[in-house]
Amino acid sequence: MKILMYSVRDDEESAIQAWADKNQVQVDTNALEFHPETADLTKGYDGVVIQQRSAIGDDPTVYQKLADYGLKQITSRTAGVDTIDIPAAKAAGLTVTNVPAYSPNSVAEMAVTQTMRLIRNLELFDSRIIQQNFQWAGLQAREIRSLTVGVIGAGRIGGTVARLFHGLGAKVIAYDVVHHEELTDVLTYVDTKEALLAQADVVTLHVDLNETSKALIDAAAFKQMKSDAFIINASRGPVIVTADLVAALKAGEIAGAALDTVEGEAALFNQDHQGEVLADSLIAQLLQMPNVILTPHVGFYTNLAVKNMVDISLDDVLTILNGGQTDHAF
């Protein structure tokens, strides 16, 4: 049995090798994304695991090519699968799987960390200190226990976020189409997104990317928020309309933002662009704003999460190849 893994980073190799040794399976890796022009590399393999920052492509025949090579599945070692044309894959007879919960704590802790930086004005203090200005006037912080935190998308990650903030003393409210009874001890559900935006001092986003969540936070949404509120995006970039965010920040409609993901990130994130003029003017503008924290989609990037992404994805491939079923299939 042979499995090919695409887009493998150096920090994943030890976990991959440990899994391969434990299961006595050959696992080969490369640093390429899976696209029609790289699909031929799967020939001779029994299973394939990918990790995409950009869509596979518009050619649906790439999935049939995998089937023709004898493959039965395509597995993403991420939670998001919007880069895969799932109907086309299934039409070719392929099972699509993901890793829906590699470590809810990793992303949740990132959201809490970014919130704490914003409410303590740490990014503004950093800016002053770089200029050797050690004054603290005008940068009074807020304590978490004085805040109302609004969670949009109270699933695995959002629910963990709610528990962390509740444990720190915040009032937590949530908007989600699904109400989870097991979370009612730490949060209160509100009926509409608008109600959450109007009440929250911090709005933190934890939704999947789909047609209903694209542009979920737009110009109208920013106008509904408090002028001293912060927004945290640890979900997917297109959930926020970046142009509207930039306009809202410039107009003072919100106090600041922490973005671990942003529209157009595939052309920049996990790459070195030092000394270059960024082609994306909106991201360039965000980088110049002292009340914006931008990180390159690293909320998932912890020791436990990386190992789980490797182990769970490969376990699913092995299960499918052995004729079994996984709960992570679409």
Side-chain angles (χ1 to χ4, degrees):
M1 188 179 292
K2 295 167 58 180
I3 299 173
L4 179 63
M5 298 184 74
Y6 283 78
S7 304
V8 172
R9 304 180 309 273
D10 289 345
D11 59 86
E12 296 177 294
E13 292 285 4
S14 61
I16 293 169
Q17 190 58 55
W19 186 93
D21 292 343
K22 176 183 176 182
N23 292 278
Q24 294 298 293
V25 174
Q26 179 179 331
V27 182
D28 295 330
T29 65
N30 64 50
L32 304 171
E33 281 204 342
F34 179 81
H35 292 294
E37 59 270 23
T38 61
D40 287 337
L41 296 175
T42 61
K43 191 172 184 179
Y45 285 91
D46 303 294
V48 60
V49 178
I50 67 172
Q51 186 178 62
Q52 302 284 115
R53 286 197 178 275
S54 58
I56 286 174
D58 297 329
D59 184 358
T61 63
V62 68
Y63 302 100
Q64 187 59 52
K65 179 180 284 189
L66 296 183
D68 292 343
Y69 287 160
L71 289 155
K72 299 178 181 179
Q73 51 67 233
I74 181 168
T75 290
S76 174
R77 58 186 188 280
T78 60
V81 290
D82 51 287
T83 59
I84 301 173
D85 186 337
I86 294 177
K90 294 175 74 171
L94 301 175
T95 299
V96 178
T97 69
N98 72 336
V99 183
Y102 41 84
S103 177
N105 281 75
S106 64
V107 179
E109 289 175 11
M110 183 71 162
V112 173
T113 300
Q114 300 290 51
T115 297
M116 295 179 87
R117 282 189 56 80
L118 287 171
I119 66 172
R120 297 305 302 236
N121 297 309
L122 295 183
E123 77 289 354
L124 300 178
F125 277 116
D126 286 346
S127 179
R128 284 189 183 184
I129 298 236
I130 287 173
Q131 301 172 48
Q132 299 185 50
N133 178 356
F134 299 96
Q135 293 179 309
W136 41 262
L139 296 182
Q140 185 182 75
R142 283 181 276 177
E143 295 185 23
I144 287 182
R145 60 181 176 167
S146 71
L147 302 178
T148 296
V149 176
V151 179
I152 297 182
R156 293 182 182 91
I157 295 173
T160 304
V161 168
R163 292 201 178 279
L164 291 175
F165 275 116
H166 175 79
L168 292 169
K171 175 184 177 182
V172 183
I173 59 176
Y175 171 68
D176 200 321
V177 293
V178 178
H179 289 196
H180 299 279
E181 289 300 317
E182 66 273 18
L183 293 176
T184 54
D185 61 326
V186 298
L187 61 77
T188 301
Y189 283 101
V190 295
D191 294 331
T192 65
K193 177 186 72 175
E194 290 73 20
L196 183 143
L197 295 174
Q199 297 178 49
D201 300 298
V202 176
V203 176
T204 180
L205 307 173
H206 302 284
V207 295
D208 295 329
L209 183 62
N210 53 53
E211 289 307 312
T212 62
S213 64
K214 288 180 180 177
L216 184 69
I217 305 298
D218 57 9
F222 289 119
K223 293 183 188 312
Q224 291 159 354
M225 291 175 62
K226 297 179 179 181
S227 61
D228 61 352
F230 299 104
I231 190 160
I232 314 291
N233 189 7
S235 57
R236 300 303 293 271
V239 172
I240 295 180
V241 180
T242 309
D244 293 350
L245 170 61
V246 170
L249 288 164
K250 288 182 175 179
E253 291 175 349
I254 62 172
L259 311 171
D260 189 45
T261 179
V262 66
E263 289 180 299
E265 68 181 50
L268 296 175
F269 284 7
N270 203 27
Q271 303 166 36
D272 187 351
H273 292 275
Q274 292 185 74
E276 300 177 16
V277 175
L278 297 185
D280 192 314
S281 63
L282 291 174
I283 293 180
Q285 289 181 68
L286 289 171
L287 289 173
Q288 296 302 312
M289 294 181 175
N291 57 343
V292 173
I293 301 170
L294 189 65
T295 49
H297 211 148
V298 292
F300 79 97
Y301 196 39
T302 66
N303 55 342
L304 296 180
V306 169
K307 184 179 186 303
N308 289 341
M309 292 167 88
V310 167
D311 289 350
I312 295 170
S313 62
L314 288 170
D315 283 347
D316 282 345
V317 176
L318 192 58
T319 296
I320 293 168
L321 295 184
N322 286 330
Q325 296 184 338
T326 168
D327 293 336
H328 307 145
F330 287 82

